[in-house]
Amino acid sequence: MKFGDITRFLTGVAIPVFSIRTDEGCGIGEFLDLIKMGSWCKKAGLDVIQILPVNDTGTDSSPYNAISAFALHPVYVRLGELAYSVKIFKEEHKEEIKAAASRLNALELVDYPAVRQFKETMLKKIYDDNLDSIKKDKTLGTWIDFNPWVRYYAVYRCLKDIHKQDWWKGWLTMQDPGAGEINSYWTKNQDDVLFYAWVQFELEKQLKKAANALEYMGLRLKGDIPIMINEDSADVWAERKYFNLGMRAGAPPDMFSESGQNWGFPCYNWDVLEKEDYSWWRQRLKQASKFYHAYRIDHVLGFFRIWGVSEKEQTGILGYFSPAVAIKKADLIKSGFNEDTIKSFVQPMFTRSYVTSLFGNASDGVIRRYFEMTESGHLAFVGAIEGERAIAALPEEQSVRDKLIGLYHNRILLDTGKGYLPAWYYYRTMTFNNMTEDERGRLRELVEANNAAQDDLWRSNGNKLLAMMCETTDMLVCAEDLGAVPPCVGEVLEGMKTLGLKVERWVREYNKQDSPYIDTYYYPRLSVCCPSVHDTSTLRGWWEEANWDRTQYYNTIGMTGECPRYLTTELAEKIIRRNLNANSTITIFPFQDLLSLHYNLRTKDPEQERINIPGTVGTKNWAYRMRDNIEGIINYDEFNNYLNGLIDERRRRSF
């Protein structure tokens, strides 16, 4: 779908589909609920609806852990709508749906396992009742021919069922299938595979119906395309050549995670993708363009360089950026380091006395089991100890494993196979700190020169990949460019006319004393402004958090006197206005943040409105539902007129 020309400042709302609550829903928001969401947006004066990814994630409730880059999630189907698509829709099914909706809609949060199980069970019943007519449906057959991904997705789902949802690495057959094997399975098991194809066919119809209705209202739908894909996915299983299963994507250590992040997603084989003109990525984007006018590129930094971690590691500490300009052995030798010294930079080595001092009375056994003597007389790990995962699996007390992992991290350089890159914490290692001042200085110079050499490579890589993303469809491209952003990223995004992301609480002049907040009026035009996102606390939650410079922000927005710890509606309006005043092309508010403007619409506890807490696992993540049905909010004229008035000021500003 085409976003169209932008001739004025736009305002939008961010709401996960699963969070929408309507009279017609069944325990979760559904694609067709977006139409009623659009009706409310029209009353409130909003232009854009932004949603989270809606791909099939199997048993995982996280929308960023997809088992298919193309398939939609069955939980978003409206079962009642199928009555218009099939010949047989039994009364007993209507009663089952009604009873389940009554039970599941009474819950405060989404009960993801219950919703998923009920909907997939009911879909199978409806399919079985209509199998003969579905098999004869030429429209379905044509749709399958035009969507080749659905064949391997359907075969993958059937094999997952046979293996009780175990991932493909544990399957007894077809662990690494060729196209011929997949096509043969499709042909021989038509009744089984056609079920999953039919479900996708119906899901696509419902989402397209919603997207078309929004377009008719003059609204735009903005989707979200995660950069990575689950290893246990139909795509990795069937299109193995596009993925590097030896490396996992993540993020380097930062103030929020000292050990970095290891997301567990396989990295891409970009060279293979490039040889095929990125056909897999282009198909993915074209599929998304059936529904979306715009999309958010999740972790756009990964299109410049990704933090890759060996699949042998658990954390992100020993990762490195890829692609990267490597340090060559000749560079090290030229800087005055000999072969033995270089080896000690790459391989952790220790004196026996140091290891003994760590493990005390247990040291003899630990050394015997896990270390060997090098030619230089030092101790090094035996070959079997290769990776954090290997150490974590050792039959030792946790304290022993923790010390072994600490020793394992003691390396200055990482061997990438194409040269060396500095370990993130190289300057903390015992090896580095045992060097002479002169040696440390020479090594630092080498590392700093290597860091400076990366920008041109990353600029070139970003230009190449983002050009592909931008040229493939007519969707407006928006980038999530948060984190440690290389200097080249802003330049490339601007050159591509791609909108970056400005989360107000983080947009500050960090090079100045007290890191003053930047006025939203000075945000770049090519940006999306927002007060919070799905991975942060809400506006209310942020205000009531401890340990942040609340008073400084309070004064920044022109308030005086004692700073309240509770976010009043007056204060919420002040912050909302500040975001509406942004120079950004689009300002998007999480739905919950707009509710903070009216006491009658708030939940008792702001934590009830949070969507996700990164790094945690629990039933509250990815389960937030509106407290009130959207039908009631549509008819809340006092609130809608007030909100429309605020937004109208932005709408009428000179663009």
Side-chain angles (χ1 to χ4, degrees):
M1 302 186 84
K2 188 173 183 178
F3 194 88
D5 295 335
I6 301 174
T7 58
R8 61 177 175 81
F9 288 107
L10 301 174
T11 310
V13 62
I15 183 76
V17 174
F18 59 73
S19 299
I20 306 173
R21 189 188 288 268
T22 68
D23 294 337
E24 298 173 90
C26 188
I28 194 170
E30 299 168 346
F31 287 143
L32 292 175
D33 291 331
L34 287 166
I35 299 175
K36 288 186 177 178
M37 193 73 198
S39 297
W40 172 72
C41 287
K42 290 298 292 181
K43 282 201 167 188
L46 294 158
D47 306 295
V48 179
I49 298 176
Q50 176 176 312
I51 61 176
L52 293 182
V54 290
N55 296 82
D56 189 358
T57 59
T59 58
D60 195 330
S61 62
S62 169
Y64 291 94
N65 201 18
I67 62 171
S68 171
F70 300 89
L72 299 170
H73 207 309
V75 295
Y76 298 122
V77 72
R78 174 154 296 158
L79 294 167
E81 181 79 2
L82 298 176
Y84 304 105
S85 299
V86 297
K87 293 185 176 181
I88 302 171
F89 200 87
K90 296 178 179 177
E91 283 298 320
E92 63 190 76
H93 295 339
K94 294 179 182 178
E95 291 302 316
E96 284 184 81
I97 295 167
K98 184 178 179 181
S102 178
R103 182 180 73 255
L104 295 169
N105 284 339
L107 302 176
E108 177 190 324
L109 302 175
V110 176
D111 185 339
Y112 179 83
V115 170
R116 176 180 173 272
Q117 183 177 16
F118 173 74
K119 288 203 172 183
E120 292 201 346
T121 299
M122 188 56 61
L123 284 165
K124 190 65 167 66
K125 289 180 180 180
I126 297 169
Y127 172 78
D128 288 341
D129 291 341
N130 294 274
L131 180 57
D132 289 341
S133 61
I134 289 172
K135 290 170 72 172
K136 295 174 183 176
D137 187 346
K138 292 183 179 179
T139 307
L140 172 60
T142 301
W143 180 83
I144 291 170
D145 290 340
F146 277 96
N147 293 274
W149 59 266
V150 81
R151 290 178 181 265
Y152 66 76
Y153 164 77
V155 173
Y156 165 83
R157 285 297 309 266
C158 286
L159 290 169
K160 287 280 282 185
D161 292 341
I162 291 170
H163 293 93
K164 302 186 186 323
Q165 304 309 312
D166 190 16
W167 82 346
W168 55 261
K169 282 189 174 181
W171 293 357
L172 301 177
T173 58
M174 293 184 72
Q175 281 192 3
D176 190 8
E181 289 178 273
I182 293 173
N183 289 333
S184 176
Y185 190 98
W186 171 273
T187 302
K188 293 177 181 178
N189 299 274
Q190 265 292 287
D191 290 0
D192 295 331
V193 295
L194 197 61
F195 167 67
Y196 287 108
W198 169 75
V199 170
Q200 289 302 312
F201 176 62
E202 295 295 339
L203 281 165
E204 183 170 302
K205 282 198 295 186
Q206 292 191 13
L207 182 51
K208 285 184 74 172
K209 181 177 179 179
N212 289 336
L214 294 177
E215 184 171 70
Y216 182 77
M217 295 181 203
L219 299 169
R220 278 99 158 187
L221 182 61
K222 180 182 176 186
D224 190 331
I225 300 182
I227 181 174
M228 311 310 297
I229 196 80
N230 193 335
E231 182 174 4
D232 185 14
S233 64
D235 303 275
V236 176
W237 172 71
E239 303 280 15
R240 199 78 48 86
K241 61 184 178 180
Y242 298 141
F243 301 90
N244 179 0
L245 301 191
M247 296 295 289
R248 298 290 182 270
D254 58 23
M255 68 181 74
F256 303 108
S257 176
E258 188 173 358
S259 59
Q261 298 175 48
N262 183 342
W263 300 330
F265 301 126
C267 293
Y268 289 106
N269 282 327
W270 283 111
D271 54 340
V272 176
L273 285 159
E274 184 176 13
K275 288 176 183 176
E276 298 185 12
D277 193 29
Y278 308 104
S279 60
W280 182 84
W281 261 103
R282 291 186 190 276
Q283 290 165 14
R284 189 180 182 190
L285 294 169
K286 288 175 181 177
Q287 178 68 13
S289 71
K290 293 178 181 179
F291 322 113
Y292 305 138
H293 302 87
Y295 69 97
R296 168 188 179 272
I297 305 176
D298 175 53
H299 192 60
V300 75
L301 303 186
F303 288 94
F304 292 80
R305 81 292 185 271
I306 197 76
W307 186 255
V309 186
S310 168
E311 52 91 18
K312 299 171 185 176
E313 312 297 353
Q314 288 183 318
T315 72
I317 284 181
L318 295 181
Y320 52 86
F321 287 121
S322 177
V325 178
I327 299 172
K328 303 298 183 184
K329 183 179 286 188
D331 300 326
L332 290 159
I333 291 174
K334 186 177 179 180
S335 293
F337 301 107
N338 60 36
E339 293 271 358
D340 288 339
T341 302
I342 295 170
K343 188 175 182 180
S344 73
F345 289 170
V346 178
Q347 181 182 17
M349 296 183 189
F350 316 94
T351 62
R352 187 180 186 93
S353 61
Y354 179 73
V355 175
T356 300
S357 70
L358 280 180
F359 295 98
N361 294 334
S363 59
D364 287 343
V366 169
I367 291 171
R368 183 175 64 254
R369 291 189 292 273
Y370 307 125
F371 291 90
E372 60 187 7
M373 190 71 71
T374 67
E375 292 180 1
S376 63
H378 289 81
L379 294 178
F381 284 103
V382 296
I385 304 300
E386 193 175 9
E388 294 168 333
R389 295 187 187 279
I391 296 174
L394 295 175
E396 301 286 352
E397 292 182 1
Q398 186 62 50
S399 61
V400 172
R401 294 199 298 270
D402 288 344
K403 290 174 183 176
L404 287 171
I405 286 179
L407 292 174
Y408 179 78
H409 289 162
N410 187 75
R411 58 192 76 208
I412 290 175
L413 299 176
L414 304 175
D415 189 346
T416 70
K418 298 179 180 179
Y420 305 106
L421 289 171
W424 190 265
Y425 290 127
Y426 78 92
Y427 54 88
R428 289 188 187 178
T429 62
M430 184 175 63
T431 303
F432 181 79
N433 286 289
N434 283 342
M435 294 164 64
T436 66
E437 186 70 32
D438 176 64
E439 289 172 327
R440 288 197 295 269
R442 283 185 277 126
L443 187 62
R444 277 200 192 96
E445 286 182 9
L446 201 60
V447 169
E448 289 170 4
N450 179 254
N451 290 338
Q454 308 302 334
D455 208 55
D456 286 344
L457 173 62
W458 294 343
R459 179 184 291 103
S460 173
N461 203 51
N463 266 316
K464 177 172 59 178
L465 296 180
L466 284 180
M468 176 271 295
M469 302 282 282
C470 292
E471 73 187 16
T472 299
T473 73
D474 288 329
M475 293 185 290
L476 177 69
V477 184
C478 306
E480 184 266 293
D481 53 343
L482 304 178
V485 183
C488 63
V489 172
E491 301 168 20
V492 172
L493 294 181
E494 184 176 359
M496 297 285 175
K497 304 300 181 187
T498 297
L499 278 60
L501 180 62
K502 299 297 179 185
V503 182
E504 186 211 4
R505 66 185 74 173
W506 295 330
V507 186
R508 308 176 67 167
E509 295 182 271
Y510 291 103
N511 59 333
K512 293 185 178 180
Q513 185 176 359
D514 298 327
S515 302
Y517 292 87
I518 296 175
D519 193 322
T520 60
Y521 183 80
Y522 297 107
Y523 287 4
R525 179 62 55 87
L526 287 172
S527 68
V528 174
C529 167
C530 61
S532 57
V533 295
H534 62 270
D535 277 339
T536 70
S537 53
T538 61
L539 188 55
R540 286 175 61 212
W542 173 57
W543 193 264
E544 296 174 25
E545 285 174 0
N547 303 319
W548 72 282
D549 48 3
R550 186 185 298 103
T551 300
Q552 180 183 343
Y553 179 85
Y554 188 66
N555 295 332
T556 295
I557 61 175
M559 306 297 283
T560 58
E562 184 177 353
C563 176
R565 292 189 60 84
Y566 176 76
L567 188 75
T568 64
T569 55
E570 293 78 13
L571 189 52
E573 180 186 324
K574 192 81 173 177
I575 300 172
I576 295 293
R577 284 185 180 277
R578 177 176 160 87
N579 281 263
L580 287 169
N581 193 51
N583 186 49
S584 305
T585 297
I586 310 176
T587 291
I588 292 184
F589 297 99
F591 180 73
Q592 308 93 299
D593 289 355
L594 293 177
L595 299 185
S596 71
L597 290 166
H598 209 295
Y599 290 124
N600 290 349
L601 296 174
R602 294 181 173 192
T603 57
K604 184 177 180 180
D605 181 356
E607 285 303 304
Q608 293 175 278
E609 298 178 334
R610 181 147 186 175
I611 292 173
N612 180 50
I613 301 177
T616 68
V617 177
T619 56
K620 291 187 177 181
N621 282 347
W622 314 112
Y624 163 70
R625 296 192 79 194
M626 297 176 176
R627 189 195 68 182
D628 304 303
N629 283 20
I630 193 65
E631 291 93 344
I633 300 176
I634 288 173
N635 293 316
Y636 201 158
D637 290 338
E638 178 188 348
F639 173 66
N640 296 331
N641 292 338
Y642 162 60
L643 186 55
N644 197 322
L646 293 178
I647 294 170
D648 189 55
E649 294 176 20
R650 175 174 172 81
R651 186 188 302 115
R652 290 187 289 105
R653 277 171 49 197
S654 177
F655 186 65

